[in-house]
Every structure is written in structure tokens, then in C-alpha cells.
């Protein structure tokens, strides 16, 4: 698994280990946000006898060694964030989202994989013309980030056509839950409600998002890997809400949120909403977590102070 120390990667690893799988995790621990937070994400994984961690950049790693005996590859590594993908930083997004994916696909193209699972994004749709949005809608990204995620999807399809690589690209719709990246909306909302600091609200608050709980996402990822399905599928929460409604939900769970209204920013889609019919049919996907329950889990996790055991030990198990 690439991106193993990230928000989704750490949850997926725990899910796979609980299912009896062996996980070889790779992560460069980049500074997209505090690497100490990523190290803490590995705390419960490192002691597990079926888990090994390698700190490595995909563009520099000995992938043939790391992929030895792999049956499934989950590719979650990448440079996140819509708003930062403009201008000079686009080179970084190209390197980490596109070039790194190509190098990994090259490494597995002749490998007898059962499945290559790529974590794509709803950002590929941009301002979609229809809601809920099905996979048949022509993608029209409105951010450079979305462009790189779509290009990596195309690479997966190309390697499937040219080399028979069985790949699944899962378009994730606004995943939230404990350990969410600190720059994402719900993480900032929960922090604002708990601290009393103002929450910067971009736009008028009427923009909608299809919030998807992380446990539902990682369950679907393994189900997709175990299925016969190949191609592209949406993973959404099946119940889009506006940012105003999201703020109200956080206030119900935690308490009042002070708002700092700001203008909308380039690259932010006005609305997102997933048609999950294909995923339901292909590998039994069904989101089960209520928004208030998911937010309560986030709030409980955020209230617990943590210090990573890896921070106290300079040599993680199996690190490269």
C-alpha cells in the first residue's frame, strides 16, 4: 500500500489487518502536513506482526523488492489539496500524482496482481452537469489537482489495455473521519468548535459535498479488490449536504462554531454528489455511517492527546 501513513491509508491498513491480510506499507512522509501526525497514524499498525513499514519515495524506491509476492496493490499516495495545486506547485502535483503513479504502474505491469486499486477523486468531475453524478458523465476538472487525478486514472486504464493489469479507480467523495487531514473542512470545523477559534467559510455556504465516512470507504476498497470488477466507480456517502448544514451538524455534536466568511476560491466545485449504483452492483458498496455518528467519532478522537511511539523510536519496523 502506498500512502500508508495518511488518513485513509492508515484506516485501510487497520481494516486489512483485521481481515487477516498482510500489509507492506510505503510512505514518503512528505510535508503536505505535519509528518508527526502521519507517524501517529502508524502507532497501532507498527506492532502488528503482519505489517511492515518502509519510508520511501515511489520515484526512488526499489519497487521490485517491495512488491515481491504482492497480490493486491492499493495506491493511495499523492499530493492532496485543490486550492494549492495552482501555479508553481503544479510541478509537485505532477510529480507526486502522475509521475509516481506511472512508475508504480510500470513496476507492476508484468506482476501477477489480483487487483490494482487506485484512490482517485470526485475532483475529476469538476462542476458536473448532473446530480447525482454517474461515472458516465464526462469528467471536466476545474483544478490542476483534478487534472492530475484524472490523468492517473487514464494511466491505469492504459496499463489495463496494454498489459492486462486489472485495475479499479475509485472516485472518492469528500472522505471524513478520525485522523482526517488537518486542512480539510470537517477537521477544521471540529477544531474550531472545540477551541472557539473562527472557522473560515469560503463562499456562501450553500455549496454541497457528498461526505463519506472513512470506514465505509476502506471497506469498499477491500471489497473492490476482492471482486471481479475493473474500471472506474464512485464511492460517496449517498446524501450530499451543504456546508451550512455541515456546520449545523458539527454544532449539534460539539457546540457553537464562530464563522469567518471569505470569498469562494478557484478550483472549488459548487456541488458534488455521487451516483453509487455501479459500486453497489459491482462489489456491494453501501455507505452505513450516519453523518452525526461519524462526526461524534471525529470529535472523540480529536479530544484525546497523543504522542507517537515512532516519534520516540527513530527506526520504524522495516523502514527503508
Amino acid at each position: 500500500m502506498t500512502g500508508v501513513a495518511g488518513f485513509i491509508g492508515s484506516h485501510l491498513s487497520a481494516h486489512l489487518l483485521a481481515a487477516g491480510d498482510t500489509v507492506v506499507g510505503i510512505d514518503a512522509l512528505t510535508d503536505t502536513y505535519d509528518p508527526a501526525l502521519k507517524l501517529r497514524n502508524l502507532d497501532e499498525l507498527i506492532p502488528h506482526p503482519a505489517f511492515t513499514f518502509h519510508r520511501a519515495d515511489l520515484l526512488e524506491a526499489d519497487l521490485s523488492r517491495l512488491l515481491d509476492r504482492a497480490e493486491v496493490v492499493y495506491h493511495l499516495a499523492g499530493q492532496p489539496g485543490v486550492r494549492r495545486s495552482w501555479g508553481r506547485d503544479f510541478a509537485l502535483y505532477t510529480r507526486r500524482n502522475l509521475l509516481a503513479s506511472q512508475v508504480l504502474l510500470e513496476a507492476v505491469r508484468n506482476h501477477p496482481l489480483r487487483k490494482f486499486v487506485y484512490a482517485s477523486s470526485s475532483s475529476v468531475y469538476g462542476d458536473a452537469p448532473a446530480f447525482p453524478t454517474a461515472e458516465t458523465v464526462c469528467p471536466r476538472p476545474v483544478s490542476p489537482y483534478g487534472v492530475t487525478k484524472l490523468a492517473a486514472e487514464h494511466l491505469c486504464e492504459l496499463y489495463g489495455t496494454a498489459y492486462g493489469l486489472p485495475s479499479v479507480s475509485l472516485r472518492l467523495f469528500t472522505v471524513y473521519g478520525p485522523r482526517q487531514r488537518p486542512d480539510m473542512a470537517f477537521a477544521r470545523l471540529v477544531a474550531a468548535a472545540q477551541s472557539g477559534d473562527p472557522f473560515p467559510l469560503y463562499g456562501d455556504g450553500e455549496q454541497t459535498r457528498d461526505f463519506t465516512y472513512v470506514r465505509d470507504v476502506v471497506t469498499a476498497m477491500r471489497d473492490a479488490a476482492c471482486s471481479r470488477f475493473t474500471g472506474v466507480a464512485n464511492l460517496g456517502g449517498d446524501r450530499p449536504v451543504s456546508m451550512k448544514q455541515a456546520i449545523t451538524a458539527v454544532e449539534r455534536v460539539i457546540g457553537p462554531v464562530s464563522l469567518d466568511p471569505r470569498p469562494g476560491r478557484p478550483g472549488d466545485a459548487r456541488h458534488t454528489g455521487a451516483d453509487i449504483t455501479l459500486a453497489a452492483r459491482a462489489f456491494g458498496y453501501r455507505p452505513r455511517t450516519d453523518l452525526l455518528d461519524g462526526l461524534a467519532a471525529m470529535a472523540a478522537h480529536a479530544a484525546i492527546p497523543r504522542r507517537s511511539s515512532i516519534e520516540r523510536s527513530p527506526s520504524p519496523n522495516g523502514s527503508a
Side-chain angles (χ1 to χ4, degrees):
M1 182 189 308
T2 72
V4 70
F7 161 47
I8 300 174
S10 59
H11 280 278
L12 177 57
S13 294
H15 177 68
L16 296 176
L17 293 170
D21 297 331
T22 298
V23 178
V24 177
I26 307 169
D27 203 297
L29 298 178
T30 60
D31 60 356
T32 50
Y33 59 95
D34 186 356
L37 296 178
K38 299 179 184 181
L39 288 172
R40 290 175 207 167
N41 291 345
L42 296 173
D43 248 9
E44 296 178 5
L45 303 175
I46 291 295
H48 199 290
F51 179 83
T52 54
F53 172 59
H54 301 264
R55 181 171 183 172
D57 186 320
L58 290 175
L59 292 172
E60 301 170 1
D62 181 358
L63 292 177
S64 61
R65 177 176 64 89
L66 295 174
L67 291 165
D68 184 42
R69 295 188 297 169
E71 296 179 27
V72 175
V73 170
Y74 295 92
H75 180 33
L76 279 65
Q79 183 71 8
V82 167
R83 294 167 184 161
R84 294 192 298 260
S85 63
W86 300 89
R88 188 179 303 174
D89 282 347
F90 183 62
L92 186 61
Y93 281 77
T94 302
R95 173 183 170 86
R96 292 179 178 171
N97 292 350
L98 190 54
L99 296 181
S101 297
Q102 188 271 337
V103 166
L104 182 61
L105 287 163
E106 274 292 308
V108 303
R109 73 178 195 182
N110 294 318
H111 202 81
L113 286 185
R114 189 168 77 233
K115 198 66 63 68
F116 184 96
V117 180
Y118 170 58
S120 187
S121 167
S122 62
S123 294
V124 305
Y125 290 119
D127 288 315
F131 297 97
T133 306
E135 296 83 356
T136 52
V137 168
C138 181
R140 297 182 185 276
V142 293
S143 68
Y145 166 75
V147 169
T148 61
K149 297 299 285 186
L150 181 58
E153 277 189 20
H154 288 323
L155 283 175
C156 291
E157 294 296 305
L158 285 172
Y159 277 80
T161 300
Y163 300 104
L165 179 69
S167 70
V168 176
S169 294
L170 299 174
R171 292 174 175 169
L172 310 184
F173 281 68
T174 317
V175 185
Y176 76 102
R179 304 197 296 272
Q180 188 187 45
R181 287 196 338 259
D183 61 295
M184 296 188 73
F186 270 151
R188 293 184 292 113
L189 266 172
V190 168
Q194 291 178 331
S195 68
D197 293 335
F199 171 75
L201 175 63
Y202 295 96
D204 60 9
E206 297 297 338
Q207 62 270 36
T208 59
R209 293 292 179 267
D210 197 349
F211 294 106
T212 317
Y213 192 64
V214 65
R215 183 174 57 221
D216 295 329
V217 167
V218 300
T219 300
M221 285 182 161
R222 188 177 190 274
D223 290 343
C226 294
S227 74
R228 296 182 178 180
F229 176 75
T230 58
V232 176
N234 293 330
L235 293 184
D238 203 30
R239 194 174 296 175
V241 299
S242 71
M243 281 306 301
K244 286 183 177 179
Q245 291 172 320
I247 292 166
T248 299
V250 170
E251 290 182 322
R252 285 182 60 186
V253 171
I254 303 172
V257 176
S258 174
L259 298 180
D260 175 17
R262 302 184 183 184
R265 302 180 69 173
D268 287 343
R270 180 67 174 166
H271 302 289
T272 69
D275 182 334
I276 59 173
T277 304
L278 177 58
R281 183 174 66 246
F283 44 89
Y285 175 60
R286 193 178 102 190
R288 300 174 182 272
T289 308
D290 178 79
L291 179 62
L292 293 178
D293 291 339
L295 287 173
M298 284 189 73
H301 181 270
I304 302 173
R306 290 174 174 81
R307 182 167 178 259
S308 172
S309 62
I310 305 177
E311 293 178 75
R312 301 189 293 272
S313 174
S315 301
N317 177 30
S319 62

